[in-house]
């Protein structure tokens, strides 16, 4: 079961192909609820004025409510909530009230937080200064880490980078992603484009793209560098 804010149509169609093994629960976010008339515009505006931390805590609350409502119908053994921008905090706080007992008529599932690439890692990778709003997000991410029953990560490097920005002493289980590793060096075709995909930011190598273009374009006058996206 996947709980997520509303998805683009193409992603929704791809996930639908995995049914019934994968069940997707789309949860309307703050803006969508205001547009639908189920959330007062004044409340939506107040959450927006509160900054990213207020918005993420509210969105996490909506996701947690949907997940725990579904748990009452189909009990889950494990709920995985991301540490990114503290989206798992609301679920952790709700589940902490259960203690070792039951709620919603069901036993409490284990709450696992997967360290991926938190906001502090993104700021360092993009050489961006830390603002007060960033510190609020960092606090939410640290709370998500400390409140979880267990922590996981895809690599030891992610654990080290997370601890560099959010010092915590808890044990983390490293479970590498079960994906095939592509060839590192692939011979370029004699003709045709070279294609890269990713957010255009320093963390994703945008500065390397600029440097590569500076070297390549004078040597290849017929080449074009086409950048797509905002």
């Amino acid at each position: 079961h996947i709980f997520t804010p509303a998805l683009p149509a193409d992603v929704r169609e791809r996930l639908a192909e995995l049914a019934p093994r994968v069940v997707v629960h789309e949860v309307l976010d703050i803006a969508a609820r205001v547009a639908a008339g189920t959330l007062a515009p004044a409340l939506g505006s107040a959450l927006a004025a509160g900054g990213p931390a207020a918005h993420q805590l509210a969105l996490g609350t909506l996701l947690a409510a949907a997940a725990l409502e579904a748990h009452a119908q189909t009990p889950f053994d494990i709920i995985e909530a991301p540490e990114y921008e503290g989206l798992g905090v609301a679920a952790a706080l709700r589940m902490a009230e259960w203690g070792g007992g039951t709620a919603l008529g069901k036993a409490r599932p284990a709450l696992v937080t997967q360290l991926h690439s938190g906001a502090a890692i993104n700021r360092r990778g993009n050489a961006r200064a830390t603002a007060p709003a960033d510190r609020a997000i960092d606090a939410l991410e640290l709370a998500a880490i400390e409140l979880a029953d267990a922590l996981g990560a895809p690599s030891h490097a992610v654990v080290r980078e997370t601890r560099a920005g959010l010092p915590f002493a808890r044990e983390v289980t490293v479970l590498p992603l079960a994906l095939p590793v592509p060839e590192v060096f692939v011979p370029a075709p004699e003709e045709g484009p070279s294609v890269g995909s990713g957010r255009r930011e320093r963390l994703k190598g945008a500065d390397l793209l600029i440097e590569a273009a500076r070297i390549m374009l004078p040597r290849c006058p017929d080449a074009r560098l086409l950048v797509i996206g905002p």
Side-chain angles (χ1 to χ4, degrees):
H1 291 256
I2 298 174
F3 295 84
T4 173
L7 296 167
D10 58 335
V11 176
R12 186 183 301 114
E13 291 172 1
R14 292 292 301 276
L15 287 173
E17 298 172 3
L18 301 177
R21 292 183 297 116
V22 176
V23 180
V24 179
H25 306 260
E26 292 190 67
V27 180
L28 292 181
D29 62 17
I30 307 300
R33 289 169 190 257
V34 171
T38 59
L39 186 71
L43 177 55
S45 298
L47 291 171
H55 177 271
Q56 292 303 97
L57 189 56
L59 179 59
T61 300
L62 297 174
L63 290 168
L68 295 178
E69 182 179 344
H71 170 72
Q73 306 300 321
T74 304
F76 302 134
D77 297 310
I78 298 171
I79 291 180
E80 182 187 34
E83 106 281 20
Y84 187 74
E85 295 191 341
L87 279 174
V89 169
L93 292 175
R94 286 283 305 276
M95 293 169 64
E97 298 174 359
W98 298 10
T102 61
L104 303 174
K106 304 296 179 182
R108 180 190 183 283
L111 179 66
V112 175
T113 286
Q114 175 84 349
L115 306 181
H116 174 58
S117 179
I121 294 178
N122 276 272
R123 284 200 307 278
R124 288 198 305 277
N126 289 311
R128 186 166 64 83
T130 300
D134 295 321
R135 286 193 285 272
I137 290 292
D138 289 350
L140 282 180
E141 291 187 351
L142 183 58
I145 290 171
E146 296 291 355
L147 289 169
D149 294 315
L151 301 175
S155 71
H156 292 285
V158 169
V159 179
R160 288 194 302 270
E161 288 296 314
T162 303
R163 284 195 172 119
L166 302 175
F168 67 94
R170 299 189 59 194
E171 180 181 352
V172 181
T173 300
V174 175
L175 297 172
L177 299 177
L179 298 172
V181 179
E183 293 292 332
V184 177
F185 298 105
V186 179
E190 293 183 4
E191 295 181 358
S194 295
V195 178
S197 175
R199 295 195 303 271
R200 208 164 63 243
E201 57 185 13
R202 178 175 291 188
L203 181 65
K204 297 293 185 179
D207 53 334
L208 300 178
L209 173 65
I210 295 170
E211 179 64 14
R214 187 188 68 79
I215 296 171
M216 180 195 72
L217 293 176
R219 301 177 184 177
C220 307
D222 295 331
R224 290 190 307 147
L225 178 64
L226 179 61
V227 180
I228 303 172

